[in-house]
Amino acid sequence: MCHVIVTCRSMLWTLLSIVVAFAELIAFMSADWLIGKAKPSSSDDVDNRTGGSQEPYYPTLGIYGRCTRISHMQLSRRDTLCGPYAENFNEIASGFWQATAIFLAVGIMILCAVAFVSVFTMCVQSIMKKSIFNVCGLLQGIAGLFLILGLILYPAGWGCQKAISYCGHYASAYKLGDCSLGWAFYTAIGGTVLTFICAVFSAQAEIATSSDKVQEEIEEGKNLICLL
């Protein structure tokens, strides 16, 4: 018989697992890893309302995507165009970024799998006599290691021609040049830290769902068990 067991610690672990997976996925897909040096508006790009030139804009570059501004001369407006600059894996700007993409993709796939499984831990707490919380915690720790490897290798690709075109000639491996780091990079770092927190906290979720109070509720014949 399936017993639905809900505790504060198990629910918090489940929510954190889902948040971490989505945060890493969004960061990976974003083009806001590097914010390029300011691009001045062209002499033809004039604000019709003020008569002055528009403010400079900052193009952004991701692992496989980029955002830049395009002008519509006839319509007197400018739009930001975002999309992949690489049509396939081999066209990613740097070998280091290719390795980063692989490590991050593996880590994110593991995190998404754990997030999916975590939803069902309310009803199923073990499989083949192994605690699902402990197994998921181990997988989250492994995912965190993949994420760390990816984030360590990413700055090594700042010396590629694509990055130099955005960051200037002073850009090189682990040197940003005229660029700055975007929110996606910081989100990936924060997600990695939370991944290890989830891995550790999974043990607390296991303790909470196998406590004496839970066992007493099960012995009383309750199918829905909610404990603070």
Side-chain angles (χ1 to χ4, degrees), residues 18-137:
I18 295 172
V19 168
V20 164
F22 273 103
E24 289 290 347
L25 181 60
I26 291 171
F28 179 71
M29 296 175 64
S30 172
D32 292 325
W33 284 70
L34 286 179
I35 301 174
K37 59 182 180 180
K39 299 287 186 180
S41 299
S42 65
S43 59
D44 295 327
D45 236 355
V46 177
D47 191 328
N48 293 330
R49 293 171 296 180
T50 64
S53 60
Q54 296 281 350
E55 294 182 358
Y57 70 95
Y58 297 86
T60 60
L61 180 65
I63 297 172
Y64 64 89
R66 55 93 180 95
C67 285
T68 188
R69 182 173 289 181
I70 58 174
S71 299
H72 297 272
M73 302 305 296
Q74 295 179 347
L75 300 177
S76 298
R77 67 182 177 86
R78 294 170 301 173
D79 293 328
T80 300
L81 177 66
C82 295
Y85 67 80
E87 295 183 358
N88 56 63
F89 181 78
N90 292 327
E91 291 183 2
I92 293 178
S94 167
F96 290 108
W97 287 4
Q98 291 176 349
T100 294
I102 292 173
F103 285 125
L104 292 185
V106 172
I108 290 169
M109 284 191 292
I110 295 174
L111 290 179
C112 288
V114 170
F116 177 78
V117 172
S118 69
V119 177
F120 298 97
T121 56
M122 292 183 293
C123 190
V124 181
Q125 290 78 42
S126 63
I127 182 170
M128 297 178 66
K129 297 183 179 181
K130 298 290 184 180
S131 168
I132 289 183
F133 295 103
N134 291 340
V135 172
C136 287

Side-chain angles (χ1 to χ4, degrees), residues 138-196:
L138 176 61
L139 289 175
Q140 286 174 326
I142 294 172
L145 294 177
F146 278 109
L147 296 176
I148 286 177
L149 288 174
L151 292 174
I152 290 175
L153 289 174
Y154 172 70
W158 291 345
C160 68
Q161 288 301 314
K162 191 73 174 178
I164 289 174
S165 68
Y166 277 72
C167 305
H169 294 288
Y170 292 104
S172 61
Y174 297 97
K175 292 183 180 180
L176 279 171
D178 296 326
C179 282
S180 59
L181 292 171
W183 65 264
F185 182 79
Y186 293 112
T187 299
I189 291 177
T192 302
V193 173
L194 281 178
T195 297
F196 285 105

